[in-house]
Amino acid sequence: MQKFDDNKNIKTYKDKAIFKRLLKYASRVKWMFILSLFFTAILVGVDLLPAFLEGELIGTLQDEALSNAYKMNFTLILLGGYAAIIVASCFLNYFNTMMLQKAGQKIVLDIRKEVFVKIEGLAIAQINATPVGKLVTRVTSDVNMVNELYTNVIVNLIRYLLTILFVLIMMLILSPILTAYILCVMPFLIAMTILFNKISRKQYRKVRGSVSNMNAFLSENLSGMKITQIFNQEEKKTLEFLKKNNELKKNNIKEVLIFGVFRPAIFVLYILCHIIILYNGFYMVIEGKMLSKNLVKFYQYNGQFFNPIQQLADQFNQLQSAFASAERIFEILDTKTQILDKEDAIVLDHIEGKIEFDHVWFAYNDENWILKDISFTIEPNQTVAFVGATGAGKTTILALIVRNYEIQKGSIRIDGIDVRDISLESLRKHIGQMLQDVFLFSGTIRSNITMRDDRFTTEEVVNACKYVNANHFIEKLDQGYEYEVLERGNNFSSGERQLLSFARTILHKPNIMILDEATANIDTETEVLIQDSLEKMMNVGTMLIVAHRLSTVQHADNIIVLHKGKIMEMGNHQELLAKKGLYYHLYELQYKHMADQEG
């Protein structure tokens, strides 16, 4: 089973491949990015003005042939023009930033939707193989890191590269000789950048993995805090948290260390170039080979040349983080869903409810068979129960009918059609499932019953609740059907949650209903309501029941007794008791247990 392992990536991508895929998303708003690049080029040009104007100003002030009045007027004109350009560039920068943010948010919206839809389409086995916290990290923080790439990193990279290019042109114009000295340092700079890129990428993967592991731990332990407190395991869980927290700290420190070595190295090269310029520049001015104002300009441009290089280090920092996150996102998007519709999958508008298992074999892992050569037929509108010890394969049979998993041998047919030939949406549309562990979403009672489907009217919701006896407790609540449901429905009892799941199922009018241990751990008063609901629901369509309480299945048309993945007996309640086989012994043991409790 594939897991999205954050400690060791299953699949890695080359930078070129990642960048190419990210550009495809950017192409959806390409005109916004093209316009942004145009504005960026203008802003880069504006950034080069101060050094040029400063040199011109110094040259003018040093020119003895010019009058003081001319020098003053020239200075005021230069400063006024520059001030006007700066104000205009501020507005341009604001507009450019807002446009980039909007473009980035549009892209992130698409990516996050694509990732969520992909996760929704994965098979249950694939989702169960990965902690929820790790999947949440992919959809949230990893996508946010990619957002930084579009709104900040790419444009800044281009801005700094344009700055370097424009500055080099200006430096060549001012002094080709000094520029040649500066370019001699470039091979060392390029070598350090390549080394930094290689080392930092590995470390960023570890950092993102540690963040994901931390989120997975928090998600699991916050959900299970009640058990932690019951067994006084707070100290142990704190130690486990500290271990993961320290792992994240160590990886972050290593990341900072790598960056902390790279940037000072760039600064050393920057100082070296300054020394070269000052030494050779003064000599050239003294020899009359260079004007002093041009030396000032060149000196200023050297700072502007290395400043974007140092900033590029920051951008490489964010670029590697974004690429590491993109890699984790693409890992999900490129994961092959285990259960897919065939190209010519059949869409069923209606089903009668006949179910056939024909020599079915199934194993979750390899050939550790959970079901072994299972064959049976369920006629439309029949109520069939599956009984047996824990691990006999009862719940697995129900999961296979809705194709949560694929069988290895045999076939499962509904109305004579193999379930693998039916589209998943239309198959599950006609099957209602009521499980032991009822999941309720945050919202209202109404939204949980309708699953936020506005097609259902209030009257239909009320009628569904009355049909399954859920109205008895709902109508006692202050806000009735608009009563707020807390996370996981923790403000309702197990029985109340189960009745709500019954109402949800009845409202969607399935032709086949699956009841998996829905009466377990329910108080006696609620069980009476549930038993009455079950008797009504048996008339809706085909019903499949898994229950340990044999009193729940006594009225079933057929009872299938399972043991270690095989069918041992079949028949109704009275027939199986008459055989005095496995069902008889299960019934006898349960009856005796109930008698002992009453005694």
Side-chain angles (χ1 to χ4, degrees):
M1 181 62 60
Q2 179 175 346
K3 298 181 181 180
F4 302 114
D5 193 342
D6 293 304
N7 295 318
K8 183 178 180 181
N9 284 62
I10 294 172
K11 185 176 182 180
T12 57
Y13 299 78
K14 292 182 179 180
D15 287 355
K16 184 179 180 181
I18 294 176
F19 197 70
K20 189 175 180 181
R21 288 183 69 168
L22 290 173
L23 282 179
K24 286 183 179 179
Y25 289 103
S27 65
R28 301 172 186 177
V29 286
K30 61 182 179 182
W31 289 113
M32 297 179 77
F33 280 105
I34 291 172
L35 190 59
S36 174
L37 293 178
F38 175 71
F39 291 153
T40 299
I42 295 175
L43 291 169
V44 168
V46 172
D47 289 339
L48 297 181
L49 283 175
F52 179 82
L53 295 178
E54 184 176 340
E56 288 296 318
L57 185 61
I58 291 174
T60 302
L61 294 175
Q62 289 179 338
D63 193 343
E64 297 179 357
L66 300 175
S67 66
N68 291 334
Y70 178 85
K71 292 177 182 179
M72 182 60 69
N73 291 331
F74 182 78
T75 302
L76 291 175
I77 291 171
L78 279 180
L79 293 178
Y82 181 64
I85 292 172
I86 291 299
V87 171
S89 68
C90 286
F91 283 103
L92 187 62
N93 196 37
Y94 170 79
F95 180 75
N96 193 34
T97 301
M98 292 301 297
M99 185 170 58
L100 278 175
Q101 289 296 328
K102 288 181 179 180
Q105 289 303 318
K106 286 181 179 180
I107 294 170
V108 166
L109 177 70
D110 291 340
I111 294 176
R112 188 171 281 130
K113 177 183 176 182
E114 193 173 331
V115 175
F116 183 75
V117 170
K118 179 66 179 185
I119 293 174
E120 277 190 316
L122 295 176
I124 292 297
Q126 291 175 289
I127 294 175
N128 290 341
T130 306
V132 173
K134 293 189 177 184
L135 294 176
V136 170
T137 301
R138 307 290 173 103
V139 180
T140 54
S141 62
D142 282 332
V143 175
N144 285 335
M145 289 304 301
V146 173
N147 178 44
E148 282 295 310
L149 181 70
Y150 291 110
T151 59
N152 186 20
V153 177
I154 292 179
V155 172
N156 279 339
L157 278 173
I158 294 173
R159 180 171 185 168
Y160 297 140
L161 290 172
L162 284 175
T163 300
I164 292 170
L165 177 63
F166 289 179
V167 168
L168 271 176
I169 293 172
M170 295 299 294
M171 291 169 75
L172 281 169
I173 294 172
L174 292 171
S175 176
I177 295 174
L178 290 180
T179 304
Y181 287 136
I182 301 300
L183 292 178
C184 289
V185 180
M186 292 303 294
F188 299 100
L189 183 62
I190 294 171
M192 285 193 299
T193 303
I194 292 172
L195 181 63
F196 169 77
N197 183 60
K198 184 176 181 180
I199 296 174
S200 63
R201 179 65 174 279
K202 293 180 181 179
Q203 190 57 35
Y204 279 117
R205 286 179 186 149
K206 292 181 181 179
V207 171
R208 298 309 304 164
S210 296
V211 171
S212 184
N213 289 334
M214 173 74 77
N215 288 342
F217 178 86
L218 289 173
S219 177
E220 180 180 24
N221 285 277
L222 290 177
S223 298
M225 188 59 69
K226 183 178 180 180
I227 301 299
T228 299
Q229 292 176 347
I230 288 173
F231 288 93
N232 295 316
Q233 294 296 303
E234 292 92 339
E235 185 176 350
K236 182 179 178 181
K237 290 297 181 182
T238 300
L239 292 175
E240 290 180 20
F241 174 79
L242 289 175
K243 183 179 179 181
K244 294 187 179 296
N245 202 20
N246 284 328
E247 179 190 353
L248 178 57
K249 182 193 75 172
K250 289 178 181 178
N251 284 327
N252 275 321
I253 289 175
K254 288 179 181 178
E255 174 191 330
V256 172
L257 180 62
I258 293 169
F259 183 70
V261 171
F262 178 70
R263 186 158 186 173
I266 299 295
F267 183 73
V268 169
L269 293 177
Y270 166 68
I271 296 299
L272 178 62
C273 287
H274 263 335
I275 294 172
I276 293 172
I277 291 169
L278 290 174
Y279 178 79
N280 291 283
F282 280 130
Y283 174 79
M284 292 173 69
V285 170
I286 292 171
E287 292 291 322
K289 297 178 180 179
M290 188 175 188
L291 296 174
S292 58
K293 70 175 184 179
N294 288 342
L295 178 60
V296 171
K297 293 178 184 178
F298 197 97
Y299 182 83
Q300 295 290 345
Y301 282 136
N302 182 61
Q304 286 187 287
F305 178 73
F306 273 90
N307 183 56
I309 292 176
Q310 289 179 311
Q311 294 298 327
L312 280 174
D314 289 327
Q315 299 308 310
F316 275 125
N317 191 27
Q318 293 187 44
L319 182 66
Q320 292 306 313
S321 183
F323 272 25
S325 293
E327 194 171 46
R328 291 151 50 80
I329 291 170
F330 294 151
E331 183 189 338
I332 287 184
L333 294 178
D334 293 344
T335 298
K336 186 177 180 181
T337 303
Q338 292 179 344
I339 300 177
L340 292 169
D341 286 339
K342 292 182 178 179
E343 291 184 5
D344 56 347
I346 300 169
V347 177
L348 299 177
D349 294 327
H350 176 76
I351 63 174
E352 296 297 327
K354 182 177 181 179
I355 303 171
E356 299 170 272
F357 271 57
D358 187 2
H359 299 288
V360 171
W361 290 72
F362 174 75
Y364 290 105
N365 296 305
D366 300 323
E367 292 190 358
N368 183 21
W369 300 110
I370 303 300
L371 298 180
K372 306 169 186 176
D373 199 26
I374 298 293
S375 295
F376 60 80
T377 299
I378 300 173
E379 297 297 335
N381 299 316
Q382 270 192 332
T383 297
V384 176
F386 298 90
V387 300
T390 301
K394 308 181 297 296
T395 298
T396 299
I397 288 176
L398 304 184
L400 294 177
I401 293 173
V402 294
R403 284 188 72 198
N404 285 340
Y405 305 91
E406 295 283 39
I407 61 175
Q408 283 82 17
K409 300 179 185 179
S411 66
I412 301 172
R413 297 186 292 275
I414 292 182
D415 292 350
I417 304 172
D418 194 307
V419 293
R420 289 169 291 195
D421 296 329
I422 304 172
S423 75
L424 283 169
E425 183 180 356
S426 68
L427 174 67
R428 293 170 181 172
K429 177 182 178 181
H430 297 293
I431 300 176
Q433 299 185 68
M434 296 155 283
L435 310 177
Q436 178 181 352
D437 184 18
V438 178
F439 193 95
L440 297 180
F441 296 91
S442 299
T444 65
I445 289 178
R446 175 188 169 85
S447 68
N448 269 277
I449 294 174
T450 62
M451 293 300 292
R452 301 186 186 275
D453 191 335
D454 296 331
R455 292 177 299 173
F456 297 108
T457 64
T458 300
E459 184 180 0
E460 288 176 311
V461 173
V462 172
N463 289 338
C465 291
K466 287 181 178 179
Y467 192 84
V468 299
N469 298 319
N471 63 306
H472 293 295
F473 79 88
I474 295 175
E475 292 171 359
K476 293 178 183 179
L477 301 172
D478 294 336
Q479 296 171 302
Y481 292 90
E482 298 304 319
Y483 186 80
E484 182 181 2
V485 178
L486 300 181
E487 185 179 7
R488 289 183 163 277
N490 289 328
N491 51 337
F492 294 98
S493 69
S494 298
E496 289 170 339
R497 289 198 296 270
Q498 196 58 259
L499 288 172
L500 289 177
S501 79
F502 285 2
R504 180 161 60 192
T505 302
I506 288 298
L507 181 65
H508 287 79
K509 300 176 181 178
N511 302 106
I512 297 174
M513 288 181 290
I514 291 175
L515 195 72
D516 189 0
E517 294 290 359
T519 59
N521 304 320
I522 291 175
D523 58 89
T524 305
E525 181 180 351
T526 307
E527 185 180 6
V528 173
L529 293 175
I530 288 178
Q531 291 291 357
D532 181 62
S533 301
L534 288 176
E535 290 180 15
K536 294 178 182 177
M537 291 166 68
M538 286 178 183
N539 299 319
V540 174
T542 304
M543 176 174 280
L544 311 179
I545 302 174
V546 166
H548 281 111
R549 294 186 185 183
L550 299 184
S551 58
T552 306
V553 304
Q554 289 182 22
H555 301 292
D557 299 311
N558 190 20
I559 299 172
I560 299 175
V561 184
L562 296 164
H563 182 66
K564 293 183 178 181
K566 295 183 177 180
I567 295 178
M568 306 304 293
E569 299 171 341
M570 282 195 291
N572 61 37
H573 178 67
Q574 295 300 329
E575 290 171 347
L576 292 175
L577 287 179
K579 289 182 180 180
K580 293 193 175 182
L582 181 58
Y583 182 83
Y584 174 82
H585 290 296
L586 289 172
Y587 182 79
E588 192 176 48
L589 285 171
Q590 196 167 111
Y591 181 79
K592 182 180 179 182
H593 177 69
M594 292 173 62
D596 290 341
Q597 284 186 324
E598 291 176 0

